[in-house]
Amino acid sequence: MSRVAYVNGAYVPHDEAVVSIDDRGYQFADAVYEGVTVRKGQMVDLEPHLDRLARSMRELAMAAPMERAPMRFVFREVIRRNRISDGFLYIQISRGVARRDHAFPTTPTVPSLIVTCKRLSIDGVIARAAKGVKAFSESDIRWGRCDIKSTSLLPNILAKQAAKEKGGFEAVLVDSDGYVTEGSSTNMWMVRTDGTLVTRSTDDNILPGITRATLKKLAEEMQIKVETKAFTLEEAKAGAEMFLSSSTGCATPIVELDGHKIGDGTPGPVTKRLVEAYRAYMEA
Ligand code: PLP
């Protein structure tokens, strides 16, 4: 069965889905996006994703293409038309089409909305979490507004590619003071040797991950001590456990960083509990 995409008011075959070459998303990455996990046909944490999307648009003075209720309908329809049970829903909104000029268009534009969905094996993600992944540190060369989920992702792409070429699954981004900021498309966590879970504050120029927020709540419910604080690359390497979080990665243990084993080089007990808690949360 061929895939179906939603593009500016129409459901079209994915291969035929196009936008204008004057779309500001294409020209300038003047666009925001969201990625939502679909588990057994249901969108996980949809409302927080919609809140973050609205915030990203507000921060960039971008108009919403439609209200929330019709947007939810389009998402459900894209999932249904693609017959997705487990998958990844992608939503992108740009400022729209305008004659090329860096400043915002002076006459109002119609924001572009595209929605696609692809299959993603959540069972595969959980299976990967049982083994853990390798990561490599890369310099964080991004801008000062990483809290906005914009499609301007070139530094993230370069970091991920560099990590991949070294045999890693993810890049751990490190700022000029040696502190871990986040991953190229994930949030970063460490577990100290005393069992405390540590993750950087979302006030600190990183993306406020939806999975991060859910995991933090689950950890607190499980009486795991959580510290919202930046940690250095060296602290991460000396820690007991490390993991990444994202909608597509859930909680995935990092068992090796820059060729250095984290803990004993296998997923640790705190991470395993969180992987299981998050799996149960998705089912619920
Ligand atoms: N950090 C960055 C830079 C990301 O791009 C993402 C996801 O795309 C995340 C963190 C994780 O966010 P979420 O858990 O909402 O998927």
Side-chain angles (χ1 to χ4, degrees):
M1 194 204 71
S2 58
R3 293 175 67 198
V4 175
Y6 173 91
V7 184
N8 294 326
Y11 297 94
V12 292
H14 193 99
D15 294 347
E16 292 166 27
V18 287
V19 291
S20 162
I21 58 166
D22 278 334
D23 191 287
R24 288 180 62 94
Y26 182 68
Q27 292 276 345
F28 298 117
D30 187 2
V32 297
Y33 75 107
E34 279 298 323
V36 182
T37 300
V38 180
R39 177 63 161 168
K40 298 192 173 151
Q42 300 298 318
M43 290 171 274
V44 179
D45 281 336
L46 176 61
E47 294 312 309
H49 279 285
L50 286 174
D51 290 342
R52 187 172 65 184
L53 184 63
R55 179 182 180 275
S56 295
M57 286 189 282
R58 210 166 44 241
E59 291 298 310
L60 298 177
M62 204 180 271
M66 58 173 74
E67 298 291 326
R68 271 195 191 204
M71 202 143 30
R72 283 190 207 100
F73 175 83
V74 170
F75 299 168
R76 279 197 295 271
E77 197 54 18
V78 170
I79 294 167
R80 189 187 70 76
R81 289 182 187 230
N82 286 284
R83 298 187 194 168
I84 298 292
S85 172
D86 285 359
F88 177 70
L89 183 79
Y90 179 77
I91 304 137
Q92 183 176 313
I93 297 170
S94 84
R95 199 180 303 277
V97 174
R99 192 186 147 104
R100 192 176 191 281
D101 186 6
H102 283 63
F104 294 171
T106 45
T107 48
T109 49
V110 180
S112 301
L113 169 64
I114 64 163
V115 184
T116 60
C117 197
K118 65 178 181 186
R119 271 174 229 292
L120 170 74
S121 167
I122 304 292
D123 295 335
V125 173
I126 304 285
R128 185 175 59 210
K131 290 205 293 189
V133 297
K134 293 180 188 173
F136 286 89
S137 59
E138 304 294 335
S139 297
D140 192 343
I141 58 168
R142 300 172 305 157
W143 69 324
R145 289 304 308 272
C146 299
D147 57 307
I148 300 172
K149 199 164 169 63
S150 102
T151 60
S152 175
L153 291 170
L154 211 39
N156 308 55
I157 288 165
L158 294 177
K160 176 94 178 195
Q161 181 61 22
K164 191 177 164 191
E165 284 172 13
K166 292 176 202 164
F169 175 76
E170 175 59 309
V172 175
L173 303 180
V174 181
D175 68 16
S176 53
D177 297 321
Y179 285 92
V180 170
T181 51
E182 58 188 322
S184 73
S185 61
T186 59
N187 288 115
M188 286 292 159
W189 304 70
M190 67 166 285
V191 180
R192 289 197 212 287
T193 48
D194 69 359
T196 309
L197 195 52
V198 192
T199 191
R200 190 179 173 104
S201 165
T202 52
D203 296 334
D204 215 359
N205 195 31
I206 60 166
L207 189 80
I210 305 300
T211 320
R212 175 192 174 283
T214 299
L215 283 167
K216 195 159 175 274
K217 204 170 80 206
L218 293 172
E220 283 158 359
E221 279 168 17
M222 291 190 293
Q223 326 265 294
I224 298 170
K225 194 173 163 215
V226 185
E227 250 182 53
T228 308
K229 189 171 176 287
F231 55 87
T232 64
L233 184 64
E234 294 318 310
E235 283 176 292
K237 287 182 183 171
E241 303 176 36
M242 190 174 184
F243 64 94
L244 58 82
S245 67
S246 72
S247 299
T248 49
C250 305
T252 299
I254 293 173
V255 292
E256 208 183 288
L257 177 55
D258 293 339
H260 171 99
K261 274 186 189 168
I262 304 293
D264 67 1
T266 63
V270 176
T271 309
K272 279 188 188 161
R273 283 178 72 196
L274 285 165
V275 170
E276 176 49 29
Y278 193 76
R279 191 199 58 73
Y281 174 82
M282 282 192 292
E283 303 297 316

